[in-house]
Amino acid sequence: MNLTGTPDRLARRRASTARPLRTGLVLIGLLLIGANLRAGITVVGPLLEGVRDDLGLPPVLASALISLPLLCFAIFSPAAAPLAARLGLERTLGGALIILAAGIIFRSVPWMPALWLGTAALGFALAIANVLLPALIKRDFPHDGGRVTGAYSATQSAFAALASGLAVPLAGVTYAGWRISFGVWAGLALIAFAVFSPQLRRATMPRHSVAPALDPHPEQYRSPWRSGLAWMITISMAAQSALFYTIITWWPAIEAANGITSATAGLHLSILQFCGIAGNLITAAIIQKWHHDQRGLIVVLVPSNIVGISGMLLLPNLALIWSILLGLSTGGMIVFALAIFGIRTHHHGQAAALSGMAQSIGYLLAALGPAAIGAVHGSSNGWTAPLILLLALQIVQFISSWNAARPRLLD
């Protein structure tokens, strides 16, 4: 008997009759999954005021529509690797896409509990997909991990920006308003499932018994939770995530406080996200060449974050320049954060365990970051203190990322 309980003879017959999937089809399915990873979240920000007015939500509760998915990332990310070990990598990703589509539709239903239950389901599905995609890349594209990570990060950024840009126009199309703008993205999840579905006949599982621990990595390797290198990668991911989601949440408000119109601030945010695509692709190309040592990237990307934040603090009239710079640098850092899971590990199961650890801690800070910055803004009655706090975060970002970029592997 094999791990799934199927007789060996039947398993061999299925394996012999299954045709290998074309690399192009696998890549398209992977990119379409990447397209879903942020669109369901970034669509919320431009419509937040409309949702508040329609439902009578207080500001703190309304902001939870963005922070709740990130909190779900933190809670459910460690469960992704065990789920994949039991169900198979492909089936777990396919199930996540179905749950994602259902969650998006459910949160658009005119029933208050559905808004929160659907948002939580969306967060669960995205947590699973976020963790397992780096493992899928490690397995299927072991020699092109940097390029493929850049491609799916660019796709992710493009659809995130598209969701932000189309949010308000779509909300004005019908009487359903923001609900139709939220719900339309379920179609993207279903398209991704349809393209990815040929892979469901595979059921890749780690070649070891599943332990009760939350990181079922291959037994010959140490748990990432006991690795100093893994903690450096985790802290780097946390700092990057906190900065990105704080910018997505508050950058338009920071610009508006400096006399920039709401329409222009929204345009700047879209430009920032589209510049992230360029940052994704440039960084991916560099990582492909600097596959062992990425410290040269860190000495460019993190100081670029510092210049962008400092520029907004000192010369806010040049907000467009700072938005472009932050888009390039944050786009580059997310590729580094995702690619490093495969670069620093020996095995796709080990990559999944490291990804689950780093994204759990990372998105916990990402969920708390925007709320903390908002609280500092409220208590200081301005944006100077929050921007200084973001600058301090970049010191942590630099130290952890520098250590994560050094040429070594997890034990």
Side-chain angles (χ1 to χ4, degrees), residues 162-253:
L162 192 64
S164 295
L166 293 178
V168 175
L170 283 175
V173 169
T174 72
Y175 70 92
W178 60 268
R179 296 184 189 278
I180 191 69
S181 196
F182 277 18
V184 70
W185 296 101
L188 182 62
L190 293 175
I191 291 170
F193 177 80
V195 175
F196 187 75
S197 59
Q199 297 193 57
L200 299 183
R201 67 190 187 203
R202 306 168 73 184
T204 303
M205 302 177 186
R207 295 180 180 177
H208 61 282
S209 60
V210 178
L214 289 179
D215 59 337
H217 56 287
E219 293 173 348
Q220 66 267 37
Y221 304 119
R222 185 171 58 171
S223 167
W225 293 88
R226 299 197 301 271
S227 166
L229 173 58
W231 277 105
M232 287 293 101
I233 293 171
T234 297
I235 295 169
S236 174
M237 177 79 185
Q240 184 279 330
S241 301
L243 177 64
F244 176 79
Y245 284 102
T246 297
I247 289 173
I248 291 297
T249 305
W250 293 116
W251 202 248

